[in-house]
Amino acid sequence: MLKLIISGVWVAIVTLGSVYFSIQMSKAPDPAEEEARKRAVQELVKGEVVTFPVIAQGRVEGYFLTRTSFITDKTKLADITLPIPELLTDEMYTELVGDKVIRVSDNRNFDLKVFKARVKEALNKKLGSEVVLDVIVEQIDYLTKEEILSSMSKPGSTIKSGERMVSEKAPDDVTPAKSDGGNAH
């Protein structure tokens, strides 16, 4: 009789433990916790203002001025020994000038999402892994050659015209990368 009671208690404990464990395992992960874990590995790499010439029919038509920053995975970024801002700027030149992502004739139809996705994909391909998590386009302006020449002809003047195409703000909750004399790591 005592063995039967002990066996019953043992079966009840094992059953309750199994139910508790299966309920804990079947719970969906907390989205806030998942988001916090993702944010913990993110780092903002500030880009420089870069000027890209727009060349059509063998001559310069104007210039795009851009400031682009990158949200990166700092664990993967630590493995890269090259200077990150310069590497990112080089890839931007390749994508924008070499592959003519921006076309002066149809810059009114500029698709920011496609542009950001293409830059992100190209950078990650060059780096060999998913280092760049997001591209923040802080500014893209277009200045024609004539606007630049006319403003340069006036003493003490600055360029005030031009077409602002894009303006984004970097997120406040991403840690900026520390600069160490040109090399990110």
Side-chain angles (χ1 to χ4, degrees):
M1 175 87 162
L2 186 59
K3 287 183 178 180
L4 185 62
I5 293 173
I6 292 174
S7 297
V9 170
W10 174 251
V11 168
I13 291 172
V14 169
T15 303
L16 289 173
S18 299
V19 168
Y20 176 77
F21 181 73
S22 65
I23 289 173
Q24 291 299 318
M25 294 304 292
S26 68
K27 284 185 181 177
D30 184 15
E33 186 178 303
E34 181 71 23
E35 188 65 27
R37 196 169 74 242
K38 285 181 182 178
R39 293 269 184 214
V41 299
Q42 292 180 356
E43 185 172 75
L44 181 69
V45 176
K46 293 291 271 181
E48 306 164 350
V49 174
V50 182
T51 305
F52 299 100
V54 177
I55 301 170
Q57 299 171 358
R59 61 188 185 107
V60 175
E61 295 290 323
Y63 297 90
F64 279 101
L65 293 99
T66 68
R67 179 185 300 272
T68 308
S69 296
F70 307 91
I71 297 177
T72 60
D73 182 330
K74 64 183 169 186
T75 58
K76 294 177 182 176
L77 193 63
D79 296 337
I80 299 171
T81 58
L82 299 170
I84 297 304
E86 288 80 1
L87 182 68
L88 298 175
T89 300
D90 174 63
E91 191 58 33
M92 291 282 292
Y93 267 107
T94 302
E95 282 299 303
L96 294 175
V97 178
D99 291 346
K100 296 183 180 173
V101 172
I102 298 177
R103 300 193 195 302
V104 71
S105 61
D106 60 356
N107 65 11
R108 300 245 189 274
N109 299 325
F110 181 73
D111 188 347
L112 181 61
K113 287 183 181 181
V114 170
F115 171 74
K116 290 169 62 169
R118 184 162 177 181
V119 169
K120 176 184 169 185
E121 180 183 329
L123 289 169
N124 285 331
K125 183 177 178 183
K126 184 169 191 158
L127 296 171
S129 68
E130 289 291 318
V131 176
V132 178
L133 303 173
D134 197 9
V135 177
I136 307 295
V137 179
E138 296 179 41
Q139 167 188 354
I140 294 182
D141 293 330
Y142 177 70
L143 297 168
T144 65
K145 188 174 163 182
E146 291 75 28
E147 289 171 330
I148 295 170
L149 291 173
S150 79
S151 68
M152 289 174 57
S153 66
K154 300 172 190 168
S157 68
T158 59
I159 299 172
K160 294 187 180 175
S161 61
E163 180 183 347
R164 172 67 47 109
M165 292 180 59
V166 175
S167 181
E168 287 185 322
K169 184 179 179 276
D172 296 327
D173 58 350
V174 177
T175 309
K178 293 178 176 57
S179 177
D180 59 355
N183 289 335
H185 297 275

